[in-house]
Amino acid sequence: MATMSKPQRTKPTSRSQRLVLLCIVIFACLLLLSSVISTGKLGLPYQQTLIDYFVRSPRGKREHTLSEKYLYWGNRIDCPGKNCETCAGLGHQESSLRCALEEALFLNRTFVMPSGMCINPIHNKKGILNRSDNKTTEEGWVGSSCAMDSLYDIDLISEKIPVILDDSKTWHFVLSTSMKLEERGIAHVYGVSRHRLTQSHYSNLLIINRTASPLAWFVECKDRGNRSAVMLPYSFLPNMAAVNLRDAAEKIKAELGDYDAIHVRRGDKLKTRKDRFGVERIQFPHLDRATRPEFILHRIEKLIPPGRTLYIGSNERTPGFFSPLAVRYKLAYSSNFSEILDPIIKNNYQLFMVERLVMMGARTYFKTFREYETDLTLTDDPKKNKNWEIPVYTMDERKEAAS
């Protein structure tokens, strides 16, 4: 009787192999789901290309996903005529940048940030940093622009709003992909309301090009005057400073110890013009008076005791301008910390970023203009004023008593 051979038993699949197989199945399901959600269809013509790109690309601190969509708003932030020579200051450009970031946040899109920011030469004089009591300089920093990532920590911003730079490989790849998709890849939506962009076919497009007015990005932000509609506070971008700038600010704060601070905005804000009767007028009638040392002393003396260290951030470059404050306080400027700042500061925008962080860390901080109701300020003039009024240079006792 022939003996029957035992059937060979199949070798069981190892646990690691089963885990790999499960991961592949899950990834495939997620890929299919992301395609359906983003397009309403079961497949995208660029899906495999995107897979190849994101799988093979080196990983940064933040990984981009296949389902991301993008908001583009031009390659330069809010400069009249897109000319760096006439561009507004850092605060003005930040207001526009914050507007664009809010739009990306509202639309749930990755923001394509310009890789550079313009610097008007009038805002880039070295005399602001190289301040002393007996000399000043009108020498300017080299260059009319600076790299965006030399001002801001892009990865830190991306924790709130995903951001890529417009000179990155990721953006170049996404842009070329959108061109292949033709009408499904990109739409130019200047003038289209943000709510319409979320309730129509626009929401399925890979890129929305919202390049706005050549004069101002924030003309597209209709609710700028409505504080309840503002999604990002004024302090958001100042706190997003590049790592080396934040480190420098921390070192300066450590050396200052327990200190107070004032921000004195003069310079361009003191611009006057004559009316048809030849009378000088200014948009901020009390600013020149309120930012002079004798009036600063009067304004801050009740809240900042004598003997305190007073850190001063200002665009005023007149030698010895703030010296009268030394009768009551120990004065400190950025120029006192050249060992910390000289190796990293290449323009005044970087300096302003550091100064703001230092001032925000003070025990008592007086701003020039009020941004929030709780702010302490040197002047009661509104930050935005369309009227040109006669300047006031002397103390009006009755008006001061009433305020």
Side-chain angles (χ1 to χ4, degrees), residues 3 18 104 114 125 153 161 181 219 292 295 305 321 367 373 391:
T3 58
R18 290 197 303 270
K125 304 293 184 182
D153 185 335
I161 307 105
L181 293 175
V219 296
R292 291 185 178 275
F295 292 99
F321 182 84
K367 300 178 181 180
E373 290 300 321

Side-chain angles (χ1 to χ4, degrees), residues 116-357:
M117 179 181 284
C118 279
I119 309 179
N120 187 325
I122 196 174
H123 300 298
N124 210 26
K125 304 293 184 182
K126 286 188 176 182
I128 298 176
L129 180 58
N130 301 332
R131 180 186 285 112
S132 70
D133 287 342
N134 54 16
K135 65 178 181 179
T136 188
T137 177
E138 289 300 310
E139 181 185 0
W141 296 97
V142 176
S144 60
S145 65
C146 62
M148 192 68 74
D149 56 9
S150 72
L151 297 176
Y152 302 104
D153 185 335
I154 305 302
D155 291 314
L156 189 59
I157 294 175
S158 292
E159 292 180 9
K160 179 72 175 179
I161 307 105
V163 167
I164 60 172
L165 295 175
D166 68 359
D167 64 350
S168 66
K169 291 182 179 179
T170 300
W171 171 237
H172 291 160
F173 176 80
V174 171
L175 190 60
S176 64
T177 302
S178 72
M179 292 177 180
K180 296 175 185 177
L181 293 175
E182 298 179 346
E183 70 275 5
R184 287 182 294 164
I186 186 169
H188 306 279
V189 296
Y190 169 60
V192 180
S193 72
R194 54 159 51 174
H195 293 283
R196 185 181 168 194
L197 293 177
T198 62
Q199 299 171 359
S200 64
H201 72 281
Y202 292 118
S203 61
N204 293 324
L205 295 171
L206 182 62
I207 301 172
I208 286 179
N209 176 16
R210 206 169 190 19
T211 302
S213 163
L215 297 181
W217 278 13
F218 57 72
V219 296
E220 292 292 319
C221 295
K222 306 301 183 184
D223 296 329
R224 298 307 292 170
N226 179 7
R227 287 296 176 87
S228 64
V230 175
M231 303 169 71
L232 297 173
Y234 282 114
S235 59
F236 177 74
L237 285 172
N239 281 307
M240 296 294 112
V243 173
N244 63 332
L245 303 183
R246 297 203 309 270
D247 289 345
E250 289 301 317
K251 291 176 182 177
I252 292 174
K253 290 193 288 184
E255 290 195 17
L256 286 170
D258 186 15
Y259 65 99
D260 304 300
I262 57 174
H263 177 229
V264 186
R265 182 80 181 273
R266 288 177 58 83
D268 56 312
K269 289 293 183 181
L270 300 181
K271 179 177 63 178
T272 62
R273 71 183 186 189
K274 292 183 179 180
D275 62 18
R276 60 195 180 96
F277 301 107
V279 178
E280 291 281 353
R281 292 184 176 271
I282 190 171
Q283 286 183 294
F284 311 98
H286 303 92
L287 181 61
D288 192 6
R289 182 196 71 178
T291 53
R292 291 185 178 275
E294 58 271 28
F295 292 99
I296 292 175
L297 280 172
H298 176 75
R299 186 83 168 189
I300 71 176
E301 62 183 355
K302 292 182 180 179
L303 292 176
I304 303 181
R308 297 274 298 168
T309 297
L310 185 65
Y311 178 83
I312 302 173
S314 178
N315 61 349
E316 175 57 60
R317 298 191 296 273
T318 303
F321 182 84
F322 295 106
S323 295
L325 295 174
V327 300
R328 185 176 173 88
Y329 304 110
K330 292 178 286 187
L331 306 184
Y333 309 93
S334 296
S335 55
N336 299 131
F337 304 96
S338 57
E339 290 186 2
I340 298 174
L341 296 174
D342 284 352
I344 65 168
I345 299 300
K346 307 302 179 187
N347 55 68
N348 275 342
Y349 281 8
Q350 290 179 315
L351 176 62
F352 297 159
M353 298 285 285
V354 174
E355 286 188 332
R356 286 192 305 195
L357 290 172

